[in-house]
Amino acid sequence: MKNLKVLGSLFTILQFVLFTGFASTGNSTINNAHVDPVVVENNDIKVTVNSVSGCFTVLEKKSGHLWESDPWEKAAGLLTLSDAKGKKQTVNISKSKKVQVLRKDAATVSIQFMDPVLEDGSVAKGVVIGTQLKLDDDAATLNVLVKEYSQGSFKLLDLRYPSRQFSLKTDEDKGAAVIPQKQGVICPSYIFPMNGGRFCKWDDATYNNKSVGTLELFNNGTGLTMPWWGTYNEKSAVVGILEEDARPDMMYNINNNGQYLFNPKGEMSPYQRVVFLDPVWNLDGQAGKMAINYHFIPGGDYVDMAKTYKMEAIKKGYFVTLKEKAVRNPNVNKLPGAIYFGVYGGYPHYVNMPGMAFTFDELKEMIRSIHDDLGVNKAFVHAWGTFSNFVPHNFPISEELGGPANLKAAIDLAKSYGYLYSSYHAYSPMLENDPDFTTDLMQRDEDGKLMNTGSRWARVDPKFQKSLAQKNIENEISYLGLEADITDITFAAYRENGKEGRLELAKYIDSFNLVNGTEHGQEQWIPYFDMFEGMTYLEDRPLSVISHPAPLFNLVYHEAIANFGKIQDPDNEVTANGDFRIKALRSMLFGRGTTIFFAPYEFEGMRSMIKMAQKLVSPVHEETFFAELLSHEYLSVDYKVQRSRFSSGTEVVANLGPVAQKIEGDISIPGYGYRITMQDGSAKSGHFEVSLTVD
């Protein structure tokens, strides 16, 4: 027995020597044996790659925080594929028959996952995923690249890589996921005070698939407006910035434990609730470089993430400032402090809509009243319903409503007040109720089959949109003496398909040097437009239940593009985003202009809100319009009390909740109240009240 123990000890020593010597080369070929990890590091971060699984961790040295790998399955990546019979499944590539980790140089690690193991234990022979981790020489930045892939006899669909990386443990890590959807949201990783039924919705969502989903990049309707996202805790932040050619989706898992995966079996999930955000790379016909740069920020949060991305946005050339635009076109100076008025009289949905259509004389009287009776100094009037044809044919000016001369008289009055004006224009939609509806302008695929048949707002082939604009827009601008133009919907997304046609349209509209606006908007269109209408929030998306609005877009682009509320979510309407009080307070916090949208018969009911917006929001908007939004913070545990600071010197503190709360200095901010310090040092404070008048 003694001899056996000695032999065993010698064998163990021999193993140690062999494996230590092997691992020191930086090359690791794995066959279910222990091998030392491969490490690369610089002054800021240390990356450790597990030689068995290919998973990695990142130590952010200044804070000492270790960002770990997948907490559920120790999966470096999750590959979705289908076999010859079309059976689709998702596999953990760390369970491949062979994982090879190679340290290429002092900053680079190459990882190959070969022959993944399928659900039934068989092997996907010939399937290879090759990735690379590369440190920046002198910054806390890690480039993660999906370098190559081979599919063997399988069809590779998508790859989540890295998967569940940089996650937060719910109620252990106090932090948040940061997601630039619309203006932006943060999703806290812990339970916090929530009144009413909101907590019920939040907690229910964390145990089912309502807090799990994917978001498309560069889609302001349903996806991400900027190519970055991240997580942070009390020690450190990590923000991933995409090299955007590959256009991955982002998967979000917000305080979810994967219970929905086990419900069909009647089992409890063995996983902890966590927060993570994954890039989902499309491998089915993929084009473009599949890379994401992770920046690590000691003590950072969502503001630091946005400012980190801002430096990248400037490099990409999207950042043309409003000051630069005002030099080119002084009429941009009519936007600061302006109230954006949408007057709906029909069109594009219906021409001369019954009960809502206005005459041009009535439009003129509304403009006079806004100026003379309500004292509005600056305004942008956007009139819906001035043409006789349906979109995308934005002509002729309706004779039934008064004809071109009377519309010009209304516009001339607006211009005499210093107001901007545009009729509604759109070049991408076609509606079935149009008596002249045709498929001739619709986009078709390579086989001639109609595309986008279910989308009334995106039917027109982008290659035709500039020519549709050319039919009348120059005549309209010339005759009416227009100084502004609004183009609806076309620029809501930035897709590869049809990009050239949309770019031609943007450049054509920009060539008139008007004050240009568009619905939604994306960062790529900022050089061609002065204002976006609709960088607000969505009522029917899960993230609205489990997150808090944050001005991520404006922290990046505030001094480059003017943002106003959404026509379908104006400040005068009560929606999931709040009532006039909340929207007015948020407008000041975010550096946004007021939007009032109404049909003519509703105008009288808008007067009180217009007066309040002119008195409260407009002065702050005017002062901060050209300024950078320097910071934003939540001052109360329920996220209701917030503070923003602008480079103009303006500071806004606002309470978006009904209960008075104290901030530092023992200062109490009333429910729906505000405390504003203007750039000259003067202070304004007050609050909204609900009153009742009994006749």
Side-chain angles (χ1 to χ4, degrees):
M1 289 292 292
K2 186 177 180 180
N3 290 335
L4 286 175
K5 287 183 179 179
V6 171
L7 287 171
S9 298
L10 289 171
F11 181 69
T12 301
I13 292 169
L14 180 61
Q15 278 186 308
F16 176 78
V17 172
L18 286 172
F19 281 122
T20 302
F22 180 70
S24 67
T25 66
N27 298 286
S28 305
T29 303
I30 310 307
N31 290 295
N32 298 318
H34 170 73
V35 181
D36 288 344
V38 174
V39 176
V40 290
E41 62 183 310
N42 60 20
N43 292 331
D44 300 294
I45 57 177
K46 176 182 178 181
V47 180
T48 303
V49 186
N50 185 300
S51 296
V52 175
S53 65
C55 293
F56 66 92
T57 61
V58 180
L59 174 66
E60 190 266 287
K61 293 182 178 181
K62 185 174 182 179
S63 70
H65 180 68
L66 181 68
W67 288 101
E68 298 183 2
S69 54
D70 175 19
W72 285 0
E73 300 178 276
K74 296 303 177 187
L78 296 166
L79 174 66
T80 302
L81 46 71
S82 61
D83 59 21
K85 296 181 180 180
K87 181 183 178 183
K88 180 179 172 182
Q89 58 184 287
T90 299
V91 297
N92 178 351
I93 61 174
S94 290
K95 293 183 178 180
S96 297
K97 295 298 289 184
K98 189 176 182 181
V99 177
Q100 186 177 71
V101 181
L102 170 66
R103 176 171 167 163
K104 297 177 66 178
D105 56 42
T108 310
V109 178
S110 176
I111 312 170
Q112 279 200 317
F113 304 90
M114 294 166 274
D115 300 339
V117 177
L118 302 176
E119 294 171 350
D120 60 4
S122 62
V123 176
K125 292 183 179 180
V127 173
V128 179
I129 300 294
T131 67
Q132 177 181 280
L133 310 178
K134 185 175 178 63
L135 284 180
D136 191 289
D137 290 337
D138 55 2
T141 304
L142 174 66
N143 177 269
V144 177
L145 171 68
V146 180
K147 194 172 184 179
E148 59 187 353
Y149 57 91
S150 301
Q151 59 185 11
S153 61
F154 293 78
K155 183 176 183 180
L156 306 188
L157 302 176
D158 62 58
L159 174 68
R160 283 169 50 193
Y161 183 84
S163 64
R164 308 188 187 109
Q165 192 81 31
F166 314 121
S167 62
L168 303 173
K169 296 177 181 178
T170 303
D171 290 330
E172 290 185 32
D173 295 319
K174 192 172 183 180
V178 181
I179 304 173
Q181 183 187 46
K182 288 287 189 177
Q183 181 62 237
V185 298
I186 68 167
C187 306
S189 59
Y190 58 94
I191 294 173
F192 53 89
M194 287 169 275
N195 59 2
R198 188 171 176 84
F199 177 78
C200 303
K201 293 180 179 180
W202 182 90
D203 200 56
D204 287 347
T206 64
Y207 282 97
N208 57 39
N209 60 1
K210 291 183 180 178
S211 58
V212 177
T214 57
L215 298 176
E216 180 186 8
L217 183 60
F218 299 137
N219 185 336
N220 200 338
T222 57
L224 302 174
T225 53
M226 295 179 285
W228 63 271
W229 57 75
T231 51
Y232 70 90
N233 57 28
E234 294 176 294
K235 290 185 176 182
S236 183
V238 54
V239 54
I241 300 177
L242 296 163
E243 296 185 25
E244 60 200 53
D245 289 348
R247 302 285 185 93
D249 291 343
M250 184 203 76
M251 179 185 176
Y252 60 88
N253 184 98
I254 309 299
N255 301 309
N256 196 294
N257 68 344
Q259 183 59 50
Y260 65 96
L261 300 171
F262 296 88
N263 286 339
K265 303 175 184 178
E267 298 177 1
M268 180 66 187
S269 169
Y271 305 137
Q272 181 177 5
R273 286 194 298 162
V274 292
V275 172
F276 62 79
L277 306 172
D278 287 354
V280 184
W281 308 101
N282 175 22
L283 304 184
D284 186 12
Q286 175 62 51
K289 185 179 181 181
M290 292 181 282
I292 182 169
N293 292 299
Y294 289 104
H295 299 252
F296 298 85
I297 311 169
D301 63 7
Y302 61 98
V303 176
D304 299 292
M305 293 181 188
K307 297 305 181 182
T308 298
Y309 177 68
K310 181 176 182 176
M311 292 186 287
E312 297 297 318
I314 292 171
K315 291 177 185 177
K316 289 190 286 190
Y318 301 152
F319 206 90
V320 181
T321 69
L322 287 163
K323 285 184 178 179
E324 292 174 293
K325 293 171 182 178
V327 169
R328 177 190 174 197
N329 179 5
N331 282 322
V332 170
N333 290 299
K334 296 179 179 180
L335 284 175
I339 298 176
Y340 181 53
F341 291 100
V343 186
Y344 188 85
Y347 183 90
H349 306 85
Y350 298 95
V351 172
N352 295 338
M353 189 170 179
M356 299 177 76
F358 54 79
T359 67
F360 298 144
D361 287 340
E362 290 169 336
L363 177 63
K364 182 179 179 181
E365 172 57 22
M366 282 186 278
I367 292 170
R368 184 208 64 78
S369 184
I370 287 170
H371 182 268
D372 294 350
D373 302 335
L374 301 178
V376 174
N377 300 320
K378 291 185 174 182
F380 191 154
V381 179
H382 181 196
W384 296 42
T386 60
F387 301 116
S388 296
N389 286 320
F390 285 77
V391 289
H393 308 290
N394 306 292
F395 65 90
I397 295 170
S398 173
E399 293 289 348
E400 188 173 347
L401 301 181
N406 282 332
L407 177 58
K408 186 177 187 302
I411 295 170
D412 286 344
L413 181 65
K415 289 170 63 179
S416 73
Y417 298 145
Y419 291 178
L420 297 168
Y421 172 89
S422 176
S423 293
Y424 178 96
H425 302 114
Y427 308 102
S428 63
M430 287 194 297
L431 281 65
E432 298 83 352
N433 52 294
D434 181 355
D436 298 320
F437 179 85
T438 175
T439 61
D440 292 347
L441 294 174
M442 290 177 66
Q443 197 169 7
R444 297 175 183 268
D445 62 20
E446 294 178 354
D447 299 322
K449 185 177 180 180
L450 290 174
M451 300 170 61
N452 303 320
T453 55
S455 177
R456 66 195 316 209
W457 300 110
R459 281 199 168 120
V460 177
D461 191 323
K463 70 182 181 183
F464 296 134
Q465 292 184 28
K466 178 183 174 182
S467 62
L468 286 167
Q470 287 175 317
K471 286 185 177 180
N472 195 65
I473 189 69
E474 292 186 49
N475 292 334
E476 183 186 352
I477 292 168
S478 176
Y479 177 76
L480 296 176
L482 296 179
E483 298 173 338
D485 177 81
I486 297 290
T487 301
D488 196 43
I489 203 66
T490 297
F491 305 103
Y494 189 78
R495 297 185 175 93
E496 288 299 326
N497 186 286
K499 180 176 68 177
E500 295 79 6
R502 295 186 189 93
L503 186 59
E504 285 186 11
L505 177 61
K507 290 180 177 179
Y508 175 65
I509 295 170
D510 183 52
S511 70
F512 299 116
N513 199 26
L514 305 177
V515 177
N516 288 324
T518 188
E519 184 186 14
H520 295 296
Q522 288 293 145
E523 61 178 12
Q524 295 89 342
W525 306 120
I526 287 175
Y528 309 103
F529 292 92
D530 306 297
M531 62 89 75
F532 288 164
E533 173 247 298
M535 196 66 68
T536 55
Y537 295 93
L538 302 165
E539 294 188 63
D540 58 346
R541 297 292 184 267
L543 279 178
S544 65
V545 175
I546 57 178
S547 65
H548 293 288
L552 304 182
F553 194 87
N554 278 7
L555 282 164
V556 177
Y557 284 118
H558 182 265
E559 71 268 41
I561 191 77
N563 280 302
F564 289 82
K566 185 81 170 66
I567 288 293
Q568 288 86 354
D569 182 32
D571 296 279
N572 55 287
E573 289 290 328
V574 179
T575 70
N577 293 320
D579 58 14
F580 179 82
R581 299 170 298 177
I582 292 173
K583 292 177 181 179
L585 294 170
R586 187 178 290 135
S587 288
M588 293 188 295
L589 284 165
F590 288 15
R592 188 185 69 179
T594 299
T595 296
I596 305 288
F597 190 42
F598 55 90
Y601 74 90
E602 297 176 303
F603 178 57
E604 289 299 317
M606 301 298 110
R607 288 178 177 270
S608 62
M609 284 180 279
I610 294 170
K611 286 181 179 179
M612 286 188 285
Q614 171 66 21
K615 183 177 181 179
L616 178 62
V617 182
S618 289
V620 177
H621 184 245
E622 184 164 18
E623 185 168 288
T624 61
F625 183 83
F626 293 108
E628 179 183 2
L629 175 55
L630 294 175
S631 66
H632 174 267
E633 56 189 320
Y634 300 96
L635 301 180
S636 61
V637 293
D638 63 358
Y639 291 81
K640 298 293 186 183
V641 185
Q642 303 173 32
R643 174 166 53 207
S644 294
R645 291 188 171 105
F646 296 84
S647 62
S648 58
T650 315
E651 178 181 295
V652 179
V653 178
N655 184 352
L656 277 62
V659 179
Q661 299 198 52
K662 290 184 178 181
I663 61 173
E664 70 268 21
D666 206 34
I667 298 171
S668 180
I669 307 298
Y672 304 115
Y674 56 88
R675 186 180 182 88
I676 304 165
T677 303
M678 304 297 281
Q679 64 183 155
D680 63 1
S682 62
K684 297 180 179 181
S685 61
H687 64 280
F688 288 95
E689 289 183 342
V690 176
S691 62
L692 174 67
T693 301
V694 179
D695 295 331

